[in-house]
């Protein structure tokens, strides 16, 4: 028996919860993993796992053995990394999970730089807004926004982003510009709501200005639980959304989304790299995490270009970005007024026809 392979197989079965998932993550047949565990139990002369048709659980002896073995394997991996020559490129596969918007707009566009620096590292990238089970899914780390509430997880803060409201030009032409956050829950304005895939809770829009804080639920006709769907709904004029600035920027530059209520701030959301409990931070994973942290540092101040854009320069003039945004607002307001006038004219023209229509 290859004792090291047996120990690795045992830890994966404990973490994955089934022999099938453990075998898949190790790239081995299920029967091979079963034989390794049986051989290990025979050598130790104790049962390490309780097997049922649905799940595998550890025995008391198995739990104690797992704690020692997981530390031992981590130390061994660290030892191999520390003895490698500094010029040797880290290599191997890492499993990372990120939200759809982060993957599409931040991480994937920057990955060519990472692979140029670390060509021997393979990344299995899971993209989803749904929470994953880091242990059973054998995920090395996840990138998530918001405070981490699970005390068993290890989290490293790598940055933050702020949220800003936005809507499509077509939406503004039909509904006008909101002047105050409360207009999102009164009048004719609608939002696209976002709800948690895990709890079903609808997230509120939050606003801060000069010590005043407002939370708005907003009226909606559509609610989604996926970041790409949320953005797509806004692009097609289904309502106002509150999105990170890095999500807004490319669509604002393309004229597809209009930033709204920019004189109000939203609560900054911290961004964390999160590790499962007892997961060793290998050399290949460490260089990836450091690279991600640097990537977020480069984006941390990006939203300030918009949210603080209208301060006067040293000559007392507003910056070009602010002037262009105000001109865009004026154009859309004029188009909205024309739209309302056309609606009123159509209603007036149809009114005599409605009066003349015979009652049924």
């Amino acid at each position: 028996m290859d004792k090291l392979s047996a120990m690795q197989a045992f830890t994966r079965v404990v973490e994955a919860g089934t022999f099938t998932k453990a075998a898949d993550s190790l790239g081995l047949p299920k029967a091979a993993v079963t034989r390794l565990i049986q051989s290990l139990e025979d050598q130790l002369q104790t049962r390490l796992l309780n097997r049922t048709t649905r799940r595998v659980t550890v025995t008391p002896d198995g739990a104690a053995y797992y704690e020692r073995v997981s530390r031992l394997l981590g130390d061994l991996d660290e030892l191999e990394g520390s003895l490698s020559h500094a010029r040797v490129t880290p290599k191997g596969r890492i499993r990372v999970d990120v939200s759809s918007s982060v993957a599409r707009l931040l991480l994937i566009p920057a990955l060519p730089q990472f692979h140029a620096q670390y060509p021997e590292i393979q990344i299995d990238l899971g993209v989803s807004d749904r929470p994953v089970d880091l242990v059973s899914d054998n995920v090395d780390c996840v990138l998530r926004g918001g405070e981490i509430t699970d005390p068993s997880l290890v989290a490293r803060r790598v940055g933050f982003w702020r949220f800003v409201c936005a809507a499509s030009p077509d939406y503004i032409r039909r509904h006008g510009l909101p002047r105050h956050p409360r207009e999102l829950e009164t009048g004719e304005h609608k939002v696209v709501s976002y709800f948690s895939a895990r709890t079903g809770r609808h997230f509120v829009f939050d606003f801060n200005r000069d010590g005043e804080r407002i939370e708005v639920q907003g009226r909606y006709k559509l609610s989604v639980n996926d970041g790409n769907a949320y953005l797509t709904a806004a692009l097609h004029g289904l309502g106002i959304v509150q999105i990170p600035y890095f999500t807004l920027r490319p669509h604002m530059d393309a004229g597809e989304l209009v930033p709204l209520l920019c004189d109000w701030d939203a609560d900054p959301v911290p961004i964390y790299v999160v590790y499962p409990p007892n997961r060793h931070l290998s050399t290949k994973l460490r260089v990836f995490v450091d690279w991600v942290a640097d990537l977020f540092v480069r984006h941390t101040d990006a939203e300030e270009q918009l949210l603080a854009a209208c301060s006067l320069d040293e000559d007392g003039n507003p910056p070009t970005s602010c002037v262009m945004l105000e001109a865009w607002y004026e154009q859309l307001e004029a188009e909205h007024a024309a739209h309302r006038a056309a609606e009123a004219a159509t209603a007036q023209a149809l009114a005599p026809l409605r009066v003349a229509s015979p009652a049924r």
Side-chain angles (χ1 to χ4, degrees):
M1 176 188 65
D2 182 345
K3 193 167 186 178
L4 179 60
S5 296
M7 292 163 60
Q8 292 171 331
F10 169 72
T11 58
R12 282 305 307 131
V13 171
V14 173
E15 293 169 352
T18 68
F19 278 81
T20 301
K21 286 186 176 181
D24 289 342
S25 66
L26 292 169
L28 296 173
K30 180 181 175 182
V33 174
T34 301
R35 286 194 298 271
L36 286 170
I37 301 300
Q38 289 174 343
S39 299
L40 188 61
E41 289 180 325
D42 290 344
Q43 185 179 43
L44 297 173
Q45 297 184 357
T46 186
R47 178 175 290 275
L48 300 174
L49 301 171
N50 290 318
R51 302 156 175 84
T52 67
T53 56
R54 292 188 175 182
R55 189 159 180 87
V56 176
T57 58
V58 291
T59 65
D61 285 343
Y65 187 70
Y66 169 76
E67 292 297 327
R68 299 291 295 274
V69 166
S70 60
R71 289 198 299 268
L72 179 62
L73 292 175
D75 291 342
L76 181 60
D77 192 29
E78 179 65 25
L79 177 62
E80 291 178 344
S82 65
L83 293 180
S84 299
H85 194 277
R87 290 175 296 177
V88 175
T89 302
K91 63 179 61 178
R93 186 180 67 172
I94 55 176
R95 172 72 162 83
V96 182
D97 192 86
V98 301
S99 66
S100 55
S101 57
V102 170
R104 184 170 62 90
L105 296 173
L106 285 184
L107 191 62
I108 292 177
L111 277 179
Q113 305 166 14
F114 177 81
H115 289 310
Q117 189 173 357
Y118 303 106
E120 299 299 321
I121 295 181
Q122 297 173 288
I123 299 175
D124 291 352
L125 186 65
V127 180
S128 172
D129 288 346
R130 294 178 176 270
V132 298
D133 187 326
L134 280 75
V135 175
S136 65
D137 292 335
N138 194 29
V139 175
D140 291 299
C141 70
V142 299
L143 297 175
R144 285 293 183 263
E147 296 297 341
I148 307 302
T149 57
D150 188 341
S152 69
L153 299 176
V154 180
R156 172 181 172 182
R157 180 169 172 167
V158 294
F160 70 91
W161 56 58
R162 290 180 182 170
F163 284 63
V164 61
C165 285
S168 71
D170 180 63
Y171 175 91
I172 302 302
R173 293 186 189 103
R174 289 182 287 114
H175 301 284
L177 291 167
R179 302 297 182 180
H180 191 276
R182 289 297 182 197
E183 293 182 32
L184 304 190
E185 56 188 5
T186 61
E188 65 174 288
H189 284 291
K190 298 291 188 297
V191 304
V192 179
S193 183
Y194 193 99
F195 67 93
S196 168
R198 182 173 59 86
T199 66
R201 181 178 67 88
H202 289 257
F203 292 97
V204 299
F205 288 37
D206 61 84
F207 300 91
N208 301 281
R209 185 177 69 179
D210 299 330
E212 180 184 8
R213 176 177 172 79
I214 298 176
E215 289 188 351
V216 175
Q217 188 69 61
R219 298 184 305 162
Y220 70 88
K221 290 185 177 180
L222 175 68
S223 184
V224 299
N225 64 356
D226 172 80
N228 282 333
Y230 190 62
L231 180 62
T232 300
L235 290 169
H236 286 79
L238 291 172
I240 297 171
V241 293
Q242 195 171 49
I243 54 178
Y245 176 70
F246 77 84
T247 304
L248 167 67
R249 184 57 188 264
H251 297 286
M252 184 181 71
D253 292 343
E256 298 169 335
L257 286 177
V258 185
L260 305 173
L261 300 169
C262 294
D263 52 337
W264 292 81
D265 290 328
D267 294 337
V269 174
I271 309 302
Y272 291 93
V273 178
V274 184
Y275 315 96
N278 300 321
R279 180 58 54 90
H280 174 66
L281 191 62
S282 63
T283 302
K284 61 180 180 290
L285 184 57
R286 182 181 293 110
V287 297
F288 174 77
V289 171
D290 290 341
W291 176 81
V292 167
D294 180 66
L295 175 66
F296 274 92
V297 165
R298 284 182 272 134
H299 285 275
T300 293
D301 296 329
E303 72 277 5
E304 299 297 338
Q305 300 173 25
L306 172 65
L307 298 178
C310 287
S311 58
L312 300 180
D313 62 20
E314 59 184 11
D315 296 324
N317 300 313
T320 303
S321 59
C322 182
V323 173
M324 294 176 62
L325 190 57
E326 288 297 331
W328 199 8
Y329 288 156
E330 291 178 5
Q331 175 188 341
L332 290 173
E333 284 282 63
E335 292 173 356
H336 172 60
H339 175 79
R340 295 294 296 270
E343 284 186 328
T346 300
Q348 185 176 6
L350 293 176
L353 299 178
R354 295 193 185 99
V355 173
S357 297
R360 295 184 178 181

